Each structure stands twice: as C-alpha cells, then as structure tokens.
Amino acid sequence: MVRSANKQGKKESSPRRVYVFFALGEKFTQRIKAKKLIYIVIFLQLSISSLLLAQDPNVYFADPNLETAVADALGLTPPITEGQMANLHSLTANSMNIWDLTGLEYATEVNELHLSGNLISDISPISALTSLIYLYLNDNQITDISAVSSLVNLDTLFLSINDVNDISPVSGLTGLTSLY
C-alpha cells in the first residue's frame, strides 16, 4: 500500500494501488481455490472408485478354462465380479479341459450346469448352489459326491463315467427324478 502526504501533512493511502494489490490477491486466491477443488475432485473420484471395487470384488477362478466359459456365458470379458456371477443361470462347458470349479460358488442363481467330459475331481465349490436343478458331471474324475447332498432342488444328476463308489449323498434329495 502506498501512502502520500496531503496538504495538511497527513498520510493517505492510494486507493488505486490498494485495489491493484487486492485484485492480484483475489486472483491468486482463486487459483489456489481452483487447485484445491481439483485435488478434492480427484480424491473423491478415487475414493468412490475404491468403494465400488471393494463392494463387488472380482471372482478368483483357479482354472482359466472355466473363467473363459463363464465369461462367454455371461457375454463379458474377464475379470468377472461376484455381482456379475449372480446373473449366471446356465453354463455349458463340456469337454473344455476344466479341472477346478473354484469360482462357481458365486453363481448363486445358476440352475443348470453342463460340465461333462472334463477333468473335474473336486465338486465341493458347487455345494452351496441350491438353485441347481440340472447337473451334468458325467465323464470326469469324480470320486466323492458328498457336495451334492445339499443341492435340495436337484432334479437331474448325471454322474456316469466317474469313479463314484458311494451314492448315499443323493439319498436325501427327494426331488431327484433322474440319476445317471
């Protein structure tokens, strides 16, 4: 601020110069505010993205052939999220060299699985898929079928050409009409 002496010897401030400094200060303040706003917006976008990803995590498929089959059935490209798996109602993946069913446990609405002619030995990942009605597992390497005992809505079960010795797990499936 510049001061000058008036006729009476009193010092006065130059209003013009004060305005210039005030105007420069305001522009500078606006720039700082704009930068802060940009940083806040970026932070919020990253935070929201992180929350969305955390809410619907990707499904882990141990077998890439199964992941490909699921992605094709859903019309998506991997990775597949848990939420997307709930949209899987039917899967046909016969003779695709599938050896691990990990990941299918998230297909909670699936009612039909065709997995014949693969290399599957462990069917425990499908034990909680209570919406299953049709399950085709013939021509695999399955020995233990205890996982099917909880599939209460199962109507049709194909297990031929496997090495199953104990079929007692199906004894409680009262809706089962076809067992091969």
Side-chain angles (χ1 to χ4, degrees):
M1 188 180 322
V2 177
R3 297 183 187 257
S4 61
N6 65 10
K7 293 179 186 177
Q8 296 147 353
K10 293 184 179 178
K11 293 184 179 178
E12 294 180 353
S13 299
S14 170
R16 192 173 96 198
R17 291 185 187 223
V18 171
Y19 176 74
V20 170
F21 285 119
F22 178 73
L24 287 176
E26 189 176 337
K27 287 182 184 178
F28 180 72
T29 303
Q30 287 175 348
R31 284 188 208 144
I32 290 175
K33 286 181 182 177
K35 284 182 181 179
K36 283 183 181 179
L37 183 62
I38 290 170
Y39 289 131
I40 291 170
V41 168
I42 290 170
F43 174 76
L44 288 174
Q45 286 177 334
L46 292 174
S47 297
I48 291 170
S49 297
S50 297
L51 287 173
L52 291 176
L53 289 175
Q55 291 176 354
D56 197 9
N58 293 337
V59 173
Y60 168 72
F61 289 95
D63 188 323
N65 295 327
L66 178 60
E67 182 176 30
T68 299
V70 169
D72 289 347
L74 290 171
L76 301 170
T77 56
I80 308 297
T81 65
E82 290 178 14
Q84 292 168 327
M85 286 293 288
N87 294 320
L88 185 66
H89 298 284
S90 176
L91 175 66
T92 300
N94 297 321
S95 303
M96 291 187 63
N97 292 318
I98 295 170
W99 53 272
D100 193 320
L101 298 180
T102 301
L104 277 184
E105 63 269 22
Y106 297 102
T108 55
E109 300 299 317
V110 70
N111 54 39
E112 191 167 351
L113 287 176
H114 296 263
L115 297 165
S116 300
N118 285 294
L119 307 169
I120 301 164
S121 59
D122 179 17
I123 61 171
S124 62
I126 65 169
S127 64
L129 303 182
T130 56
S131 294
L132 266 174
I133 299 170
Y134 307 102
L135 180 57
Y136 299 88
L137 293 169
N138 46 306
D139 195 13
N140 276 286
Q141 300 172 0
I142 301 165
T143 57
D144 180 12
I145 62 165
S146 59
V148 302
S149 65
S150 58
L151 305 179
V152 295
N153 290 310
L154 209 55
D155 174 76
T156 302
L157 176 60
F158 278 70
L159 288 168
S160 60
I161 315 174
N162 279 290
D163 199 16
V164 177
N165 292 319
D166 180 15
I167 61 164
S168 64
V170 301
S171 63
L173 301 178
T174 56
L176 192 64
T177 60
S178 303
L179 175 62
Y180 299 96

